[in-house]
């Protein structure tokens, strides 16, 4: 999916002995959005914006070792190994011959290194330059920023598409607000700014500006603008929409003391698991301290300062726990951490209360895009049926307020709350609205300048779309069996107008789909090289829905 940005110059941070100036260059293709003020909570803002940077650069996907150099060395040594093996016929003569060949080979390698040295040196300098001066060539660092009447907030997504970050700063963070215009825009946020943010100090005045002059476009100054075309994968945009929709789901909520989060991070830093299950099991009992059990060690950490105030006892497991280390930098400045758990294997959210700022960390069910995510959690379907006229009423009411609760919008639009919630859900899935976990209101936020192609983003693959159709139109039955030491086996029967299929899957201790089988043509032809078939996904979705 291609996104076009045009920035007025580049974002900059100016720092000297007496003060610091932060100036973000907004996207001039979008509606004018600007903000000018002076920072008051300097240290807290520095730590929070640095934690947001940690989200942007986060990439916990498995990276195999590069064995190219070893394979080249092994190929060169193959002749020597063969000679050493065969030297039993005349050990002395063979040893002399090997010594001569090694001398010649050493000279050849030295000559090769001499010839190729300028190339290797130039290549190293080139990549060093890209990494230091133009790190955007390595990864995209352009977050979305929104200016609202009561706060401004940054949003970003990680490289591995599994972690979402949002930093909200109320106007109390600024001791002087000169002018602002509400709206949403993309800002030029190069990686070099991270190092400059570390220079913010309490004894320096810090000017914060989303440049309002960036929208005064003049032909004579066209060279001041630079256009950026970013081809983002559909999965990146879809993930952004899914994590926004997940915020609206019911969840088990509790508060954690900063020292409890410190204990979690300390354990993860000290120990590295070598086998599964790699999860945290939260044991929630009404009126009792929250318990967190780290598997596979079964290490129990009792959060004595944090009581669970819910009405029902629950036990929820989450995976991808090492992403919680992003919260480390916020522990010294946080008052508390509010945790929202959607369920075992489902997304989770951690809201750090920083006083006049809130940092929201959203984690998907898994670190990698495995089958469990594709088959178990689809936030973009099904959709509520709301008429176009009612959707326009709700959106118009929200535009005049910028943020509101569903009951307020229902009163303003003259509709019932159910219809308003349905419309807000559709707008959230379309990237136009975001739910604020901290304040409990819906906020206006246009993710992109142009409407998103929802037909492209609704499903991650044709098989997922087919699974959704099967769930709606076909008769799905299954038998559930518990296999000791393995997990839950599901034997399904999916009856369609054309045939009956019999998918079988096993859900292991990590809630992953394993040992899938099916008698459909897709599985017979592709096995698992192209992922699970629609019948397996439909069986998993039917099981998860119950």
């Amino acid at each position: 999916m291609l996104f076009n940005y045009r920035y007025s110059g580049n974002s900059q941070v100016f720092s000297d002995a007496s003060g610091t100036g932060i100036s973000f260059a907004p996207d001039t293709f979008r509606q004018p959005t600007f903000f000018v003020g002076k920072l008051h909570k300097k240290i807290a803002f520095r730590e929070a914006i640095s934690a947001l940077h940690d989200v942007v650069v986060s990439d916990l996907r498995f990276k195999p070792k590069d064995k190219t150099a070893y394979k080249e060395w092994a190929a060169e040594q193959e002749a020597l190994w063969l000679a050493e093996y065969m030297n039993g016929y005349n050990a002395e003569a063979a040893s002399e011959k090997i010594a001569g060949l090694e001398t010649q080979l050493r000279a050849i390698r030295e000559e090769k290194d001499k010839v190729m040295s300028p190339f290797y040196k130039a290549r190293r300098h080139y990549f060093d330059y890209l990494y230091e001066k133009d790190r955007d060539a390595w990864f995209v660092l352009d977050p979305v920023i929104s200016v609202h009447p009561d706060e401004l907030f940054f949003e970003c997504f990680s490289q591995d598409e599994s972690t979402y970050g949002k930093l909200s700063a109320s106007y109390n963070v600024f001791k002087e607000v000169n002018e602002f215009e509400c709206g949403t825009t993309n800002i030029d946020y190069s990686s070099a700014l991270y190092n400059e943010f570390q220079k913010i100090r309490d004894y320096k005045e810090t000017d914060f500006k989303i440049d309002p002059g960036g929208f005064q476009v003049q032909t004579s100054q066209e060279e001041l603008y630079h256009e950026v075309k970013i081809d983002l994968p559909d999965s990146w945009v879809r993930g952004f929409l899914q994590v926004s929709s997940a915020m609206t789901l019911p969840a088990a909520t509790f508060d954690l003391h900063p020292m409890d989060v410190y204990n979690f991070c300390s354990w993860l830093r000290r120990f590295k698991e070598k086998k599964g299950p790699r999860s945290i099991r939260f044991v929630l009992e009404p009126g009792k301290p929250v318990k967190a059990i780290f598997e596979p060690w079964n290490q129990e950490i009792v959060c004595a300062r944090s009581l669970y105030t819910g009405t029902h006892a629950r036990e929820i497991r989450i995976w991808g726990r090492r992403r919680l280390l992003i919260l480390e930098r916020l522990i010294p400045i946080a008052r508390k951490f509010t945790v929202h758990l959607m369920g075992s294997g489902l997304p989770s959210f951690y809201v750090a209360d920083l006083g006049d700022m809130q940092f929201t960390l959203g984690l998907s069910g898994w670190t990698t895009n495995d089958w469990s995510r594709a088959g178990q959690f689809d936030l973009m379907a099904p959709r509520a049926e709301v008429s176009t006229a009612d959707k326009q009423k709700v959106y118009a009411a929200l535009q005049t307020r910028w943020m509101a609760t569903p009951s307020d919008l229902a009163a303003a639009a003259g509709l019932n709350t159910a219809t308003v919630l349905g419309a807000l859900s559709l707008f959230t899935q379309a990237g136009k609205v975001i739910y604020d976990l901290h304040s409990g209101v819906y906020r206006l936020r246009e993710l992109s300048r142009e409407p998103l192609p929802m037909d492209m983003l609704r499903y991650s693959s044709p098989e997922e779309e087919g699974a959704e159709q099967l769930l709606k139109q076909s008769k799905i039955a299954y038998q559930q069996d518990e296999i000791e030491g393995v997990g839950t086996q599901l034997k399904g029967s999916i009856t369609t107008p054309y045939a009956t299929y019999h998918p079988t899957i096993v859900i292991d201790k990590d809630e992953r789909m394993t040992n899938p089988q099916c008698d459909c043509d897709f599985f017979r032809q592709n096995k698992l090289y192209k992922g699970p078939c629609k019948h397996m996904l439909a069986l998993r979705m039917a099981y998860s829905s119950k």
Side-chain angles (χ1 to χ4, degrees):
M1 187 176 302
L2 192 64
F3 286 79
N4 294 324
Y5 303 143
R6 182 171 70 173
Y7 300 114
S8 172
N10 296 287
S11 295
Q12 296 178 341
V13 175
F14 307 96
S15 180
D16 55 30
S18 60
T20 302
I22 304 173
S23 177
F24 290 104
D27 180 11
T28 60
F29 280 150
R30 305 191 68 161
Q31 291 296 320
T33 300
F34 53 85
F35 180 90
V36 178
K38 291 182 179 293
L39 272 179
H40 177 50
K41 307 291 181 66
K42 305 181 184 68
I43 302 301
F45 181 83
R46 181 191 69 192
E47 298 303 299
I49 199 71
S50 298
L52 195 71
H53 174 270
D54 293 339
V55 174
V56 175
V57 300
S58 173
D59 188 358
L60 297 180
R61 291 171 293 189
F62 173 73
K63 303 175 184 64
K65 293 182 179 180
D66 185 4
K67 299 182 179 180
T68 304
Y70 167 75
K71 291 180 178 180
E72 291 179 354
W73 173 82
E76 293 175 353
Q77 292 294 317
E78 185 176 2
L80 296 178
W81 291 336
L82 181 60
E84 291 176 357
Y85 178 77
M86 297 295 295
N87 68 357
Y89 293 101
N90 190 334
E92 185 176 350
S95 298
E96 292 178 359
K97 189 173 183 179
I98 290 174
L101 290 174
E102 288 180 342
T103 302
Q104 296 178 22
L105 187 59
R106 192 180 303 109
I108 292 173
R109 288 173 176 170
E110 291 176 355
E111 185 66 23
K112 175 186 174 182
D113 292 340
K114 183 185 297 184
V115 173
M116 297 298 294
S117 178
F119 167 74
Y120 293 142
K121 186 176 181 181
R123 185 177 62 179
R124 184 175 65 255
H125 284 306
Y126 171 69
F127 285 115
D128 288 345
Y129 172 81
L130 282 183
Y131 191 77
E132 295 297 333
K133 303 298 183 182
D134 188 17
R135 204 175 299 183
D136 290 348
W138 296 75
F139 43 74
V140 178
L141 279 176
D142 288 339
V144 178
I145 187 171
S146 300
V147 180
H148 275 216
D150 61 331
E151 70 177 26
L152 58 90
F153 56 91
F154 298 83
E155 294 179 273
C156 66
F157 213 49
S158 65
Q159 290 187 74
D160 59 12
E161 304 173 11
S162 71
T163 307
Y164 164 84
K166 175 174 174 282
L167 172 60
S168 303
S170 72
Y171 288 168
N172 291 332
V173 176
F174 307 90
K175 62 181 180 182
E176 180 181 327
V177 178
N178 294 326
E179 56 181 337
F180 66 90
E181 180 67 33
C182 295
T184 300
T185 184
N186 298 88
I187 57 172
D188 175 44
Y189 182 29
S190 63
S191 61
L193 291 181
Y194 173 76
N195 294 327
E196 297 299 328
F197 282 138
Q198 312 312 306
K199 301 176 182 178
I200 297 178
R201 297 292 186 272
D202 249 344
Y203 58 82
K204 293 183 180 181
E205 286 292 338
T206 302
D207 296 323
F208 186 92
K209 176 172 26 175
I210 302 170
D211 189 9
F215 301 97
Q216 300 173 359
V217 182
Q218 298 180 10
T219 305
S220 61
Q221 296 182 355
E222 188 65 28
E223 65 276 3
L224 297 178
Y225 294 85
H226 69 280
E227 294 191 18
V228 182
K229 293 184 178 180
I230 300 173
D231 191 7
L232 294 175
D234 291 348
S235 60
W236 191 95
V237 182
R238 186 186 305 110
F240 214 119
L241 301 182
Q242 286 182 352
V243 79
S244 299
S245 300
M247 293 182 183
T248 64
L249 297 180
T253 303
F254 55 90
D255 293 336
L256 288 179
H257 190 275
M259 282 305 299
D260 297 326
V261 178
Y262 169 80
N263 291 333
F264 292 175
C265 295
S266 176
W267 180 267
L268 293 174
R269 289 290 187 191
R270 291 165 56 200
F271 299 97
K272 176 69 174 179
E273 62 280 353
K274 296 183 179 179
K275 61 179 182 179
R278 300 172 174 86
S279 65
I280 300 179
R281 183 153 45 97
F282 285 99
V283 180
L284 309 176
E285 299 181 14
K288 295 184 179 181
V290 175
K291 296 180 183 179
I293 301 175
F294 286 72
E295 299 176 319
W297 311 283
N298 290 326
Q299 170 66 26
E300 182 179 286
I301 297 179
V302 179
C303 306
R305 307 173 184 85
S306 308
L307 299 180
Y308 178 59
T309 58
T311 56
H312 301 287
R314 302 188 62 178
E315 186 171 306
I316 300 176
R317 298 171 71 191
I318 65 167
W319 287 265
R321 58 194 179 190
R322 294 203 170 270
R323 293 172 291 176
L324 293 176
L325 294 174
I326 293 174
L327 299 175
E328 272 187 315
R329 192 157 186 172
L330 302 176
I331 293 174
I333 59 174
R335 297 178 178 178
K336 65 178 181 178
F337 291 85
T338 302
V339 183
H340 302 262
L341 302 180
M342 309 300 172
S344 294
L346 298 182
S348 55
F349 295 89
Y350 306 82
V351 182
D353 183 0
L354 311 178
D356 293 319
M357 292 186 292
Q358 289 78 41
F359 185 94
T360 302
L361 179 68
L363 305 181
S364 61
W366 309 94
T367 302
T368 56
N369 291 326
D370 54 33
W371 300 336
S372 185
R373 281 183 62 190
Q376 182 181 1
F377 190 64
D378 181 14
L379 289 172
M380 306 194 71
R383 301 186 179 205
E385 296 294 336
V386 183
S387 67
T388 303
D390 289 344
K391 287 191 292 185
Q392 291 176 347
K393 290 181 181 179
V394 174
Y395 195 72
L398 187 59
Q399 278 184 313
T400 60
R401 293 165 171 77
W402 288 96
M403 70 279 188
T405 62
S407 57
D408 292 339
L409 292 175
L415 302 171
N416 59 60
T417 305
T419 301
V420 171
L421 286 173
L424 290 173
S425 177
L426 293 175
F427 290 137
T428 302
Q429 294 169 1
K432 294 179 176 294
V433 171
I434 185 174
Y435 181 69
D436 192 337
L437 276 174
H438 176 72
S439 58
V441 299
Y442 285 86
R443 293 183 179 273
L444 195 67
R445 190 266 278 131
E446 292 277 0
L447 184 59
S448 66
R449 184 181 70 256
E450 302 295 336
L452 295 173
M454 299 308 298
D455 293 340
M456 296 173 55
L457 295 173
R458 186 171 185 180
Y459 302 105
S460 61
S461 68
E463 304 311 313
E464 191 174 356
E465 182 178 3
E468 178 63 30
Q469 295 299 323
L470 287 175
L471 199 63
K472 292 180 179 179
Q473 302 173 2
S474 303
K475 182 180 179 181
I476 301 178
Y478 63 86
Q479 177 183 349
Q480 176 180 338
D481 297 315
E482 297 296 330
I483 303 177
E484 185 176 356
V486 177
T488 302
Q489 184 183 58
L490 302 177
K491 295 181 178 180
S493 175
I494 301 179
T495 303
T496 68
Y498 309 102
T500 299
Y501 301 94
H502 302 87
T504 301
I505 62 175
V506 174
I507 302 175
D508 67 4
K509 293 184 295 183
D510 278 337
E511 296 292 324
R512 294 173 299 190
M513 187 189 301
T514 61
N515 300 326
Q517 299 289 331
C518 190
D519 51 6
C520 67
D521 291 337
F522 181 88
F523 182 78
R524 288 171 179 168
Q525 295 174 7
N526 304 299
K527 298 301 180 183
L528 294 177
Y529 296 122
K530 294 186 179 180
C533 68
K534 60 184 179 181
H535 308 102
M536 300 173 190
L537 293 178
L539 177 60
R540 177 62 186 269
M541 293 167 68
Y543 170 73
S544 299
S545 65
K546 295 183 180 181

